[in-house]
PDB file of all heavy atoms in Angstrom:
ATOM      1  N   TYR M  45     154.436  99.701 112.934  1.00  0.00           N
ATOM      2  CA  TYR M  45     153.076 100.218 112.800  1.00  0.00           C
ATOM      3  C   TYR M  45     152.119  99.045 112.638  1.00  0.00           C
ATOM      4  O   TYR M  45     152.420  98.073 111.929  1.00  0.00           O
ATOM      5  CB  TYR M  45     152.964 101.127 111.580  1.00  0.00           C
ATOM      6  CG  TYR M  45     151.551 101.564 111.269  1.00  0.00           C
ATOM      7  CD1 TYR M  45     150.953 102.598 111.983  1.00  0.00           C
ATOM      8  CD2 TYR M  45     150.812 100.927 110.281  1.00  0.00           C
ATOM      9  CE1 TYR M  45     149.645 102.987 111.715  1.00  0.00           C
ATOM     10  CE2 TYR M  45     149.507 101.321 110.003  1.00  0.00           C
ATOM     11  CZ  TYR M  45     148.934 102.344 110.720  1.00  0.00           C
ATOM     12  OH  TYR M  45     147.646 102.721 110.456  1.00  0.00           O
ATOM     13  N   SER M  46     150.981  99.113 113.285  1.00  0.00           N
ATOM     14  CA  SER M  46     149.892  98.149 113.096  1.00  0.00           C
ATOM     15  C   SER M  46     148.628  98.933 112.797  1.00  0.00           C
ATOM     16  O   SER M  46     148.359  99.953 113.433  1.00  0.00           O
ATOM     17  CB  SER M  46     149.671  97.305 114.347  1.00  0.00           C
ATOM     18  OG  SER M  46     150.774  96.490 114.602  1.00  0.00           O
ATOM     19  N   GLY M  47     147.860  98.471 111.807  1.00  0.00           N
ATOM     20  CA  GLY M  47     146.642  99.164 111.446  1.00  0.00           C
ATOM     21  C   GLY M  47     145.689  98.256 110.701  1.00  0.00           C
ATOM     22  O   GLY M  47     145.899  97.048 110.604  1.00  0.00           O
ATOM     23  N   LYS M  48     144.643  98.846 110.165  1.00  0.00           N
ATOM     24  CA  LYS M  48     143.625  98.105 109.405  1.00  0.00           C
ATOM     25  C   LYS M  48     143.593  98.604 107.975  1.00  0.00           C
ATOM     26  O   LYS M  48     143.636  99.814 107.726  1.00  0.00           O
ATOM     27  CB  LYS M  48     142.235  98.323 110.016  1.00  0.00           C
ATOM     28  CG  LYS M  48     141.992  97.561 111.287  1.00  0.00           C
ATOM     29  CD  LYS M  48     141.676  96.131 110.988  1.00  0.00           C
ATOM     30  CE  LYS M  48     141.108  95.437 112.197  1.00  0.00           C
ATOM     31  NZ  LYS M  48     140.974  94.013 111.971  1.00  0.00           N
ATOM     32  N   TRP M  49     143.541  97.680 107.046  1.00  0.00           N
ATOM     33  CA  TRP M  49     143.281  97.945 105.639  1.00  0.00           C
ATOM     34  C   TRP M  49     141.969  97.253 105.291  1.00  0.00           C
ATOM     35  O   TRP M  49     141.500  96.381 106.039  1.00  0.00           O
ATOM     36  CB  TRP M  49     144.393  97.364 104.771  1.00  0.00           C
ATOM     37  CG  TRP M  49     145.563  98.252 104.543  1.00  0.00           C
ATOM     38  CD1 TRP M  49     145.789  99.489 105.062  1.00  0.00           C
ATOM     39  CD2 TRP M  49     146.695  97.958 103.724  1.00  0.00           C
ATOM     40  NE1 TRP M  49     146.978  99.980 104.615  1.00  0.00           N
ATOM     41  CE2 TRP M  49     147.557  99.063 103.794  1.00  0.00           C
ATOM     42  CE3 TRP M  49     147.064  96.874 102.940  1.00  0.00           C
ATOM     43  CZ2 TRP M  49     148.764  99.111 103.107  1.00  0.00           C
ATOM     44  CZ3 TRP M  49     148.264  96.925 102.265  1.00  0.00           C
ATOM     45  CH2 TRP M  49     149.097  98.039 102.344  1.00  0.00           C
ATOM     46  N   PRO M  50     141.365  97.597 104.156  1.00  0.00           N
ATOM     47  CA  PRO M  50     140.185  96.839 103.728  1.00  0.00           C
ATOM     48  C   PRO M  50     140.534  95.345 103.593  1.00  0.00           C
ATOM     49  O   PRO M  50     141.687  94.989 103.346  1.00  0.00           O
ATOM     50  CB  PRO M  50     139.852  97.447 102.363  1.00  0.00           C
ATOM     51  CG  PRO M  50     140.408  98.837 102.435  1.00  0.00           C
ATOM     52  CD  PRO M  50     141.665  98.711 103.249  1.00  0.00           C
ATOM     53  N   THR M  51     139.549  94.501 103.744  1.00  0.00           N
ATOM     54  CA  THR M  51     139.781  93.065 103.621  1.00  0.00           C
ATOM     55  C   THR M  51     139.831  92.657 102.147  1.00  0.00           C
ATOM     56  O   THR M  51     139.350  93.384 101.283  1.00  0.00           O
ATOM     57  CB  THR M  51     138.660  92.268 104.318  1.00  0.00           C
ATOM     58  OG1 THR M  51     137.415  92.601 103.685  1.00  0.00           O
ATOM     59  CG2 THR M  51     138.588  92.604 105.800  1.00  0.00           C
ATOM     60  N   GLY M  52     140.427  91.501 101.882  1.00  0.00           N
ATOM     61  CA  GLY M  52     140.352  90.892 100.566  1.00  0.00           C
ATOM     62  C   GLY M  52     141.494  91.132  99.613  1.00  0.00           C
ATOM     63  O   GLY M  52     141.479  90.613  98.499  1.00  0.00           O
ATOM     64  N   TYR M  53     142.513  91.916  99.982  1.00  0.00           N
ATOM     65  CA  TYR M  53     143.619  92.130  99.040  1.00  0.00           C
ATOM     66  C   TYR M  53     144.316  90.806  98.752  1.00  0.00           C
ATOM     67  O   TYR M  53     144.622  90.042  99.663  1.00  0.00           O
ATOM     68  CB  TYR M  53     144.627  93.143  99.567  1.00  0.00           C
ATOM     69  CG  TYR M  53     144.103  94.547  99.590  1.00  0.00           C
ATOM     70  CD1 TYR M  53     144.275  95.356 100.689  1.00  0.00           C
ATOM     71  CD2 TYR M  53     143.422  95.068  98.498  1.00  0.00           C
ATOM     72  CE1 TYR M  53     143.792  96.647 100.707  1.00  0.00           C
ATOM     73  CE2 TYR M  53     142.930  96.360  98.505  1.00  0.00           C
ATOM     74  CZ  TYR M  53     143.123  97.142  99.621  1.00  0.00           C
ATOM     75  OH  TYR M  53     142.634  98.415  99.630  1.00  0.00           O
TER      76      TYR M  53
END
Side-chain angles (χ1 to χ4, degrees):
Y45 173 79
S46 294
K48 284 281 194 188
W49 272 3
T51 60
Y53 290 134

